[in-house]
């Protein structure tokens, strides 16, 4: 175990084992349990770069954002699907992209990603993006919706101010639960993950809603950043029985990464254990080892390294292996966290497949586990864990719509 | 340096070097400076799985806890000692285990672990577990006791309530120090590691003990979770001169991992520097790099990655190498953190040996250090550092009983 | 991508690629954007060891500080430049060092480091150390000064007490900016990095200065540890337009590492974005992945793993690769953080070169990027990024003296 790297005699058989596992992992249809829509129209270089990673846009100091792991990965992995040589220069890539048109590019890149089901978060700037159905159509796959809790509350306060906020929110989330497959919270961005674990009293919620509405009356933007209200949304979602996704780990400059450590969620995880509702910790990097520890001790916690897969490029294998130190193999799921660019779906899925098959093949070559174990783990992580968490595994199928 | 992995011409010589270091590391008797007793009787599958990792028990979401790194490592490494093929299925393994009986299984697995001395923490649920002498007898090794500070205080409050708490605790710890080899604190579980660095006044301690006793009178369970009392215990232990172990890093769901970062101990480490009392930071993962930094700047701090070795399975080499980035080679010790299952001792020791010999052999192959350096470092980490820390290195032998 | 380690057929070509990149990285002159002076006179073994790593000195528990990664790296990498065999024993090394004399040793080691420009922090114990010009002369290179903000304030309070503190500090920093190439803050050591992001009012600054002066009058040492005053210095530096370096990550026992996480700077980074002043995050280990995330989302943030390169020895490649997961290639700079011993410059530079060429060669071998990409990235990290950040890239040359 842990020794293949220099056991040269194992080289050939390991290569054979790798090929077997690559083929298996290549055949398995992946569930992408967290992604977003893609931009509908054409993009110039600045627009493309602004969607490439978590930087808002290229600036005067760092040069082109193509000079990142994700930029290099796009040039390497996506160019061939656009009929270019690998590593095509950025301008050539974008010229060819414009020539083919964004629909054709999306079709090629999404179909190449090997994803059969997309669970699409529709809460962030949906206006310029494809709907779940549009995404699914381009990919030749199916799509289900993930409803963002904070967005529902923001629509309620916009439409009704504080009047009947509690009941209207509950109704809105219950209506969403009839068709959505899960909920998502961006508490990390708004108040941090250091959430009190208890369910707030209705009177507290009503008072907080009144304060929020009063602020909006005075001209504040409609942006939910109240810890009591966010806890109310989370507990309402718990009552509805759908899995709840949490943004954790790194994101854009709006979030203080220090408040996005999933360890801050421990009290809430303890409070929700045994309630039958899976908690899905998204992204988690650079706190993915913390997330793995949580997944080991809390049976209802699932984890991924979604956003990291696209961003860390050649390092994807190392990051996934770190997650798999403590996280039970039954707790790890795949997400692309694709947003805006179909390239990000393709890069995430391709790097994740390689990371997974490399991890599993190395274990077989090192005799840490058997090929049969590796196959079972591959199927768990590619799709079975997600199907179980979201109630799509036969017995639980349709669970999402019964909540 | 840092380049063996693809220098194919170095393959054969590196393999030879690895074998030489494996043989050396295999011959050296290891000191296991932190472990627990094992379960005396038979275990069914649920009982076995509940002891396999830090999860309380298998639950409805993640499936069998055999589908973890530690589960795979048990099936790989322990099966042959039970006359099974490597990677035996879990049910076959457990059937054979039942057939052999828990004593015979313990004998085989413990003797195969290559540990000559066990320092046994007797503070956690000792009733169902073997005593240090029983463990030693099964292993054909010797054992010494580590006394848990909080358990002593809990016995004192149970027997005496708050009356004479300070003096009775001091007497109890002094009596323990006459035979024990060290103390341990689980402050991390009870109040977190963010401990004030100063020694509390006797009046403060007496007042806190009175509050604790009053709570117990009102029906609270006997569970020490008062920061003042825990600091009193730590400083009393410092006065007695024995090494003090601290749980740090991950553990079960009772602990908030965010409060278990050893960096939180920095003020206490600064306050205890130069007092002649080693502080032993246990486990430390996923904060093992933090622990390495503490070990570098505080001469009296020793570190291990005990619990992690069993849990991270095929990743043990990477985790140990990360600890050895900053931690001086004179500061790193071995612990199995075995608890309940003899399998965990065997897996910890086997994975640690491999991780250590792989680390050292890679350095020799990369010409980062000489073979003689590697041998010296192996002896330090296997036993010499522990002997020095616990006063068993000749001059200091018996120091534990002189405190 | 991410797969070279066991693709044995790629061995030869990868070795060739590695040699090409090693030659390139070996030819490029490096900018060392953060270092200190070296000790002028001879050093005995205790004195040498006390400068070898962040431990104050060897102590009774850990043995010689040569038994560290940095100690082994010095014996491996520096011995040949002193005409000794690699891995010379520590006493032999020190005897030869004494024989050659500290000037000759410095000349050999510094010239072997391949650094063409040193940016020298003159704020820490400068009396016993070489000046920037003396360092440059020994190295056959050029040097520029980095002015430590807290040292300027300490000179002002020593010379003037609180009288006109605000204006005198501003004048002092403006005078420094006329010749220095950048500023540095050790807020991490003094108050931690959890700095409020706003510029303090002049009245607040004056009041804090008065409190500080009053303390000194009562006998307190002249040591700036006031958050308001440190923020005043930082904002004054921002006004002067020079890059500002921050100590982050591990250091000696004076600092609480938990307060040195660069994530704590996020509010200040947000407040200084777009002002045209680069913020240079030094060292960052073990929080280098956190630093990489900051560098991705803040265009004005540059990052290094300076101190870590010398300290982690054989692990330098792994640490640099972790930084390069999220940090854009245009944001990463080199520093040796050499202090006291010329050995530390040589070890840092040698390990960094290897880490960089190994990282880039592995990517080419794995087809993650092209050779041309690798060359461009090497030039960015070796010197171009530093030149851009410090205004030495042609258009901006001399920017430092125009502030």
């Amino acid at each position: 175990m842990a020794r293949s790297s220099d056991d040269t005699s194992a080289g050939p058989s390991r290569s054979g084992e790798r090929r077997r596992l690559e083929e298996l992992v290549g055949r398995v249809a992946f569930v992408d349990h967290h992604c977003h829509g893609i931009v509908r129209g054409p993009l110039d270089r600045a627009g493309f770069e602004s969607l490439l990673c978590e930087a808002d846009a290229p600036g005067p100091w760092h040069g082109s954002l193509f000079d990142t792991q994700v930029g290099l990965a796009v040039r390497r992995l996506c160019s061939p699907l656009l009929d270019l040589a690998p590593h095509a220069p950025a301008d050539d890539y974008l010229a060819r992209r414009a020539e083919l048109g964004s629909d054709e590019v999306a079709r090629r890149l999404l179909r190449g990603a090997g994803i059969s089901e997309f669970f699409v978060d529709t809460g962030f700037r949906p206006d310029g993006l494809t709907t779940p159905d549009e995404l699914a159509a381009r990919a030749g796959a199916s799509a289900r919706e993930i409803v963002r809790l904070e967005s529902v509350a923001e629509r309620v306060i916009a439409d009704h101010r504080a009047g009947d906020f509690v009941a209207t929110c509950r109704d809105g989330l219950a209506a969403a639960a009839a068709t959505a497959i899960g909920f998502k919270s961006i508490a990390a961005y708004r108040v941090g993950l250091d959430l009190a674990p208890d369910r707030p009293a209705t009177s507290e919620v009503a008072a907080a809603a009144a304060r929020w509405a009063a602020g909006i009356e005075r001209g504040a933007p409609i942006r939910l950043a109240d810890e009591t209200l966010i806890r109310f949304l989370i507990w309402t979602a718990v009552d509805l029985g759908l899995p709840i996704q949490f943004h954790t780990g790194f994101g854009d400059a709006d979030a203080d990464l220090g408040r996005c450590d999933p360890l801050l969620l421990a009290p809430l995880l303890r409070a929700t254990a045994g309630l039958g509702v899976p908690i899905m910790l998204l992204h988690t990097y650079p706190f993915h080892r913390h997330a793995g520890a949580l997944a080991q001790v809390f049976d209802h916690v699932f984890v991924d390294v979604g956003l990291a897969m696209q961003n860390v490029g050649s390092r994807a294998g190392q990051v996934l292996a770190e997650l798999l130190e403590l996280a039970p193999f039954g707790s790890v799921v795949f997400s692309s966290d694709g947003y805006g660019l179909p390239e990000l779906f393709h890069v995430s899925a391709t790097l994740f497949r390689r990371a997974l098959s490399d991890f599993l093949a190395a274990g077989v070559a090192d005799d840490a586990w058997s090929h049969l174990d590796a196959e079972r783990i591959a199927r768990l992580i590619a799709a079975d864990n997600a199907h179980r968490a979201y109630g799509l595994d036969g017995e639980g199928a349709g669970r999402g719509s019964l909540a």
Side-chain angles (χ1 to χ4, degrees), chain A:
Chain A
M1 295 168 70
R3 55 183 45 191
S4 66
S5 62
D6 56 341
D7 188 348
T8 50
S9 68
S13 68
R14 183 173 176 191
S15 292
E17 179 60 33
R18 160 170 289 152
R19 269 192 297 276
R20 286 172 68 194
L21 282 165
E22 272 177 7
E23 283 163 19
L24 169 74
V25 170
R27 279 196 312 274
V28 177
F30 273 62
V31 174
D32 181 351
H33 90 110
H34 180 77
C35 63
H36 305 261
I38 56 174
V39 171
R40 283 205 189 85
L43 285 164
D44 62 11
R45 179 155 177 166
F48 189 91
E49 289 200 28
S50 74
L51 291 166
L52 196 50
C53 64
E54 295 302 303
D56 287 345
W61 292 108
H62 291 169
S64 168
L65 292 170
F66 271 103
D67 269 339
T68 51
Q69 286 269 13
V70 63
L72 295 175
V74 165
R75 286 176 44 219
R76 166 65 188 88
L77 298 173
C78 301
S79 295
L81 277 79
L82 272 52
D83 313 317
L84 300 169
H87 316 297
D91 282 333
D92 294 0
Y93 182 85
L94 294 172
R96 175 64 181 157
R97 198 180 194 277
E99 190 175 71
L100 287 170
S102 54
D103 279 1
E104 173 63 12
V105 168
R107 207 188 58 81
R108 293 185 181 197
L109 293 172
L110 292 173
R111 281 165 201 252
I115 296 167
S116 60
E117 297 165 74
F118 294 93
F119 299 169
V120 186
D121 172 4
T122 52
F124 186 54
R125 298 189 185 163
D127 293 349
L129 302 180
T130 54
T131 65
D133 284 345
E134 289 169 340
L135 184 77
R138 281 160 178 76
S142 69
R144 298 290 295 268
E145 187 181 4
I146 301 288
V147 169
R148 198 179 279 205
L149 296 172
E150 291 81 4
S151 303
V152 171
E154 288 167 355
R155 280 196 297 272
V156 168
I157 204 87
D159 294 347
H160 304 272
R161 289 297 181 264
D164 263 342
F165 178 84
V166 171
T168 317
C169 263
R170 279 192 185 133
D171 291 348
L173 292 174
T179 55
I181 191 132
F183 291 111
K184 178 187 177 188
S185 170
I186 53 164
Y189 272 85
R190 299 298 178 82
V191 296
L193 293 174
D194 190 14
L195 301 167
D198 49 303
R199 181 195 294 264
T202 300
S203 59
E204 289 177 87
V205 177
R211 281 195 303 275
W212 186 22
I216 293 167
E217 295 288 346
R218 289 192 302 270
I222 295 179
R223 183 174 183 276
L224 174 55
D226 179 278
E227 197 250 5
T228 301
L229 294 179
I230 288 177
R231 280 193 291 131
F232 160 69
L233 295 170
I234 292 167
W235 281 101
T236 304
V238 167
D239 293 340
L240 290 164
L242 295 194
I244 308 173
Q245 305 179 344
F246 281 87
H247 175 98
T248 76
F250 89 115
D252 65 33
D254 276 355
D256 267 1
L257 184 49
R259 303 195 306 170
C260 302
D261 186 337
L263 291 186
L264 296 170
L265 281 176
L268 186 68
L269 298 178
R270 204 172 286 116
T272 54
L275 300 182
V277 175
I279 303 290
M280 318 301 290
L281 303 180
L282 303 174
H283 320 323
T284 71
Y285 179 99
F287 308 116
H288 45 296
R289 280 169 158 167
H290 301 186
L294 293 170
Q296 184 176 104
V297 299
F298 292 112
D299 178 57
H300 67 312
V301 168
F302 291 78
V303 289
D304 74 40
V305 279
L307 180 55
M309 284 300 101
Q310 27 173 293
N311 265 275
V312 307
S314 69
R315 299 278 305 165
Q318 177 69 20
V319 170
L320 179 64
E322 289 173 354
L323 177 67
L324 292 172
E325 287 166 1
L326 288 195
F329 300 120
S331 74
V332 176
V333 289
F334 167 70
S335 80
S336 71
D337 200 33
Y339 177 88
L341 304 178
E343 279 84 355
L344 300 179
F345 293 77
H346 189 69
V347 166
S348 273
T350 305
L351 293 175
F352 187 82
R353 275 174 205 280
R354 285 189 187 177
L356 182 59
S357 57
D358 283 1
F359 171 80
L360 293 172
V364 175
D366 296 340
D367 199 24
W369 45 74
S370 72
H371 180 82
L372 284 178
D373 291 322
E375 284 203 354
R376 191 180 64 259
I377 295 168
R379 292 182 200 282
L380 286 172
I381 293 176
D384 293 358
N385 291 336
H387 284 161
R388 192 176 347 101
Y390 289 91
L392 300 173
D393 56 349
E395 327 128 56
R399 206 172 129 271
S401 55
L402 299 174

